[in-house]
Amino acid sequence: MSTHVRHPIWLPALRAADARTFASLYAVESFARATVSSVIPIQAYEILHNEQIVSILYTIVALLGLSVTLFMPMLIRRFARRWVYTAGACLLAIGSLFFVTQTLAGQLAGMLCRVMGASALSITLNLYIMDHIRKTDFMQAESLRMAWSMFAWTGGPTLGIFLYTRFGIYAAHGAVAVFAMALLALFWTYRLGDNPSIRPGKTRPANPLANIGRFVAQPRLRLAWLIAFGRSCFWTTFFVYGPLFMVITGEGKLAGGLLVSAGNALLFMAIFWGKAGKRFGGRRTMTFAYFAMSAMLLAAGTVGETVPLLTGAFLLCGAFFTIALDALGSTAFMRSVRSYERAQMAAVYRTYLDFSELTPPLVYSVVLAFFGLGSVFVTLGLLAAVCGFVTWRYLPKSL
């Protein structure tokens, strides 16, 4: 009897990680980020009183966050994924402490913590997904993950605006801290571990610049990055300039929050787009989505400030087609990356999000110096058309 080991009863009861595991983690994470997604640009505008300077602020934050993303593989190698994921959740909560100072320095620090936390969570979660989900199931798993996050991205922005306008800044950002701690509890309950059978090759470079070279040398990875970059530029524009557009045109803060929530409510359609991709092929579906998104953005830019509600309707239509790219776009990367360099390539791939937060505000700050706010949507529409053409021309038909 001395050699008998008694295991806790509840340990074997936990099921193996599957698509629902990662969908639930992403849903709670989405609540932590979505709750103040509409509050942050409005708060920045109240501090700076100029939409062009707000664009510059977002550019600075994205540029600083980009360097953190590129060094993420070194952090994962040094501290292991679970601790990097934990740090990411904690950074979301820490960012809330900076935001409540209602100062420019606090706004900058809070936005930077938010970008760093999102980067850590995104890269580590993608690595866990590639370890536990078969390649043939990526499309289904990703569409499920997007669909579950619909609840967060639908209710979160409106909830944040409601708390901000009704109860003040402490209530809005306090909710973020609560969701971040709930995410940590759920993550440690699942007890996800690094896959011991997959190790980076010893001859593969760990230097961030060398990782970029490895990534750029692979055409399939470059294409996957562009697909993700284009659709992420839409969401950056939608989250930042959608609420600003409603405030500037006199529709009010609540209208801005409702616009973002309505667009995010369409995330439930990710399941529909997942089935469409399986039936018609990822290449055809994503190409169609890009060109349709482009048409909606060009229409929104043409109407502009003359009929704000109609412009908002066109933006919502654009969001509907962008969700197809959310549901299907990441499969281009997951099915192309080599297993032994997933951590390195995932970090470089994740820079699409940093560049999508860096490039649009920088370009828009120049465009806004010469044209009205509608020019923002026209510029994005032209980018979507280019991405659609490249996707149709170079994405393999077999995807």
Side-chain angles (χ1 to χ4, degrees):
M1 296 297 293
S2 61
T3 60
H4 177 69
V5 179
R6 187 177 181 185
H7 298 281
I9 296 175
W10 61 273
L11 287 178
L14 285 177
R15 58 182 173 80
D18 57 14
R20 289 174 295 177
T21 302
F22 304 112
S24 61
L25 284 172
Y26 188 68
V28 179
E29 176 198 335
S30 296
F31 268 112
R33 294 192 292 116
T35 303
V36 290
S37 62
S38 297
V39 173
I40 292 175
I42 293 175
Q43 187 176 339
Y45 183 73
E46 290 177 344
I47 294 173
L48 297 171
H49 306 289
N50 186 293
E51 62 267 28
Q52 187 176 8
I53 301 179
V54 170
S55 294
I56 296 174
L57 175 63
Y58 271 86
T59 301
I60 293 172
V61 171
L63 187 60
L64 294 174
L66 176 62
S67 59
V68 176
T69 298
L70 291 175
F71 280 93
M72 199 62 66
M74 299 177 66
L75 295 177
I76 293 174
R77 183 187 294 271
R78 175 66 178 83
F79 298 106
R81 291 181 205 166
R82 59 184 178 274
W83 296 116
V84 175
Y85 190 96
T86 299
C90 291
L91 280 170
L92 295 183
I94 294 171
S96 298
L97 297 177
F98 288 112
F99 279 122
V100 297
T101 62
Q102 291 185 290
T103 62
L104 180 57
Q107 186 78 11
L108 176 62
M111 292 172 69
L112 183 58
C113 284
R114 183 176 165 86
V115 168
M116 292 164 52
S119 175
L121 292 171
S122 175
I123 292 174
T124 49
L125 187 64
N126 278 332
L127 292 176
Y128 283 127
I129 290 173
M130 287 187 283
D131 277 358
H132 293 88
I133 304 296
R134 294 181 301 178
K135 284 189 175 183
T136 54
D137 295 332
F138 281 155
M139 195 174 294
Q140 180 182 359
E142 285 300 285
S143 61
L144 181 66
R145 185 159 68 105
M146 292 299 109
W148 279 35
S149 69
M150 176 270 297
F151 298 102
W153 291 107
T154 300
T158 301
L159 172 63
I161 290 292
F162 173 77
L163 292 174
Y164 184 57
T165 57
R166 185 71 179 271
F167 300 102
I169 192 171
Y170 287 95
H173 290 287
V176 174
V178 172
F179 285 123
M181 293 302 102
L183 175 62
L184 270 183
L186 184 63
F187 172 75
W188 283 98
T189 298
Y190 287 143
R191 299 196 314 280
L192 297 173
D194 295 5
N195 189 336
S197 65
I198 299 177
R199 298 293 185 190
K202 293 182 180 180
T203 60
R204 298 301 174 188
N207 183 283
L209 295 179
N211 291 337
I212 295 174
R214 281 285 305 155
F215 189 97
V216 172
Q218 302 178 60
R220 291 280 294 274
L221 296 185
R222 295 200 306 266
L223 178 58
W225 189 94
L226 179 64
I227 293 172
F229 172 75
R231 54 101 167 169
S232 188
C233 282
F234 175 89
W235 290 120
T236 297
T237 304
F238 188 76
F239 289 146
V240 176
Y241 294 91
L244 280 179
F245 180 82
M246 290 300 169
V247 171
I248 292 172
T249 55
E251 299 298 325
K253 298 177 183 177
L254 184 58
L258 290 173
L259 174 66
V260 173
S261 290
N264 291 325
L266 297 172
L267 281 170
F268 185 77
M269 297 304 296
I271 295 177
F272 161 78
W273 286 115
K275 293 180 179 178
K278 189 173 182 180
R279 179 175 179 180
F280 300 107
R283 174 172 170 264
R284 289 183 179 179
T285 306
M286 285 188 275
T287 300
F288 168 75
Y290 257 128
F291 283 126
M293 182 213 305
S294 176
M296 295 300 103
L297 287 167
L298 292 175
T302 301
V303 175
E305 301 175 37
T306 56
V307 188
L309 295 181
L310 181 58
T311 301
F314 281 126
L315 291 178
L316 288 178
C317 292
F320 171 74
F321 295 110
T322 307
I323 289 166
L325 301 163
D326 287 333
L328 306 176
S330 59
T331 59
F333 169 75
M334 292 181 175
R335 295 180 63 174
S336 302
V337 65
R338 296 180 173 90
S339 60
Y340 58 79
E341 56 183 5
R342 283 177 177 173
Q344 296 93 326
M345 297 303 101
V348 180
Y349 173 72
R350 172 57 175 69
T351 60
Y352 78 81
L353 191 54
D354 299 291
F355 273 100
S356 70
E357 294 176 349
L358 169 66
T359 309
L362 180 62
V363 173
Y364 298 157
S365 63
V366 176
V367 172
L368 288 170
F370 300 96
F371 305 101
L373 195 55
S375 62
V376 166
F377 308 127
V378 173
T379 303
L380 181 61
L382 295 175
L383 172 65
V386 171
C387 291
F389 173 78
V390 174
T391 300
W392 173 257
R393 177 66 178 81
Y394 296 105
L395 192 66
K397 295 180 181 180
S398 59
L399 184 66

